Amino acid sequence: MAEQVTAYPPEPWNLAGQAYLSIWRVPVSELPALPGGVEPIVVGGRAQVFTAWIDYQEPGQLQYHELLATVAVRGERLSSSITDIWVDSEVSLAGGRALWGIPKDLAALDFAHGRTFTASAATQEDWIATAAFTPRPSLPVRMPAAFDVVQMLDGRLKRSPVRAKARPCPAAADWRINESGPFGFLAGQRPVLNACLRDFKIVFGG
């Protein structure tokens, strides 16, 4: 009997939902490995790492939860490379790996929306992180962004374009990180900025 292949949409993916973002300044020596030929943007001996809890919702093509870490890297325009990422969707995992070389893994991701957003992530082996975000008033406009995600796919670097719009708002955030887990390189550090991206819409890939 042939092995069943998880079906996923062709690119681009049109997605929507809510995101909770933190930016960290991490010593270059403590960064997770990046694909060969990819260089982090370094300021004062530190790289910029973006972490995000993302709740993909309708009317997007897929609905699932995600936690990721991505490093700002050199490119012709704003670029990043995803080093760690977990989802709770087999479809998202299969598509992310096959289409863009994004190293998605499965995890249990629990989100609770309210005045304060809370989230937790754990694999079968151990917990990864928890966080609580308390948003401040959001801007009344939807702001656009465009950037590339740079990953290794089939032995070659692939740059995938991303276009997004969202209503950003600052937030207070409280992280708890398992120092012996895959986010351990962030343990003991504090984000330099926290934000919510309300009602985002993303076109991922080209």
Side-chain angles (χ1 to χ4, degrees):
M1 181 176 180
E3 181 180 356
Q4 183 176 357
V5 177
T6 302
Y8 50 82
E11 63 175 326
W13 287 4
N14 291 274
L15 304 170
Q18 317 297 323
Y20 299 83
L21 173 77
S22 294
I23 303 176
W24 315 68
R25 298 191 69 240
V26 177
V28 175
S29 61
E30 298 177 18
L31 283 180
L34 292 168
V38 174
E39 297 182 10
I41 296 173
V42 180
V43 179
R46 292 177 179 262
Q48 285 57 243
V49 176
F50 296 75
T51 57
W53 304 86
I54 307 176
D55 189 353
Y56 292 102
Q57 304 169 336
E58 293 182 341
Q61 286 177 283
L62 300 174
Q63 293 81 52
Y64 62 96
H65 301 137
E66 182 173 271
L67 170 63
L68 66 84
T70 187
V71 180
V73 299
R74 297 185 180 277
E76 294 183 358
R77 64 173 184 170
L78 184 65
S79 301
S80 72
S81 186
I82 298 170
T83 59
D84 300 275
I85 180 168
W86 299 269
V87 295
D88 56 6
S89 162
E90 292 273 7
V91 172
S92 173
L93 182 148
R97 286 176 172 263
L99 295 172
W100 305 297
I102 298 173
K104 296 185 179 185
D105 286 313
L106 291 176
L109 294 157
D110 293 320
F111 290 5
H113 294 279
R115 180 171 295 180
T116 294
F117 166 80
T118 60
S120 66
T123 65
Q124 291 184 339
E125 290 77 29
D126 206 351
W127 69 286
I128 301 167
T130 67
F133 283 73
T134 303
R136 309 304 186 202
S138 62
L139 296 175
V141 296
R142 293 172 63 84
M143 298 182 64
F147 57 95
D148 289 338
V149 171
V150 186
Q151 305 296 144
M152 190 67 71
L153 178 65
D154 297 331
R156 304 174 70 176
L157 285 179
K158 180 176 177 62
R159 291 185 172 270
S160 302
V162 181
R163 302 185 303 279
K165 284 187 178 182
R167 291 190 294 115
C169 62
D174 180 21
W175 281 81
R176 296 288 183 270
I177 293 171
N178 182 351
E179 62 183 16
S180 62
F183 265 18
F185 69 99
L186 298 175
Q189 304 194 52
R190 294 177 62 86
V192 296
L193 184 147
N194 301 291
C196 303
L197 303 177
R198 298 288 200 192
D199 302 324
F200 71 74
K201 290 188 177 180
I202 289 178
V203 180
F204 198 110

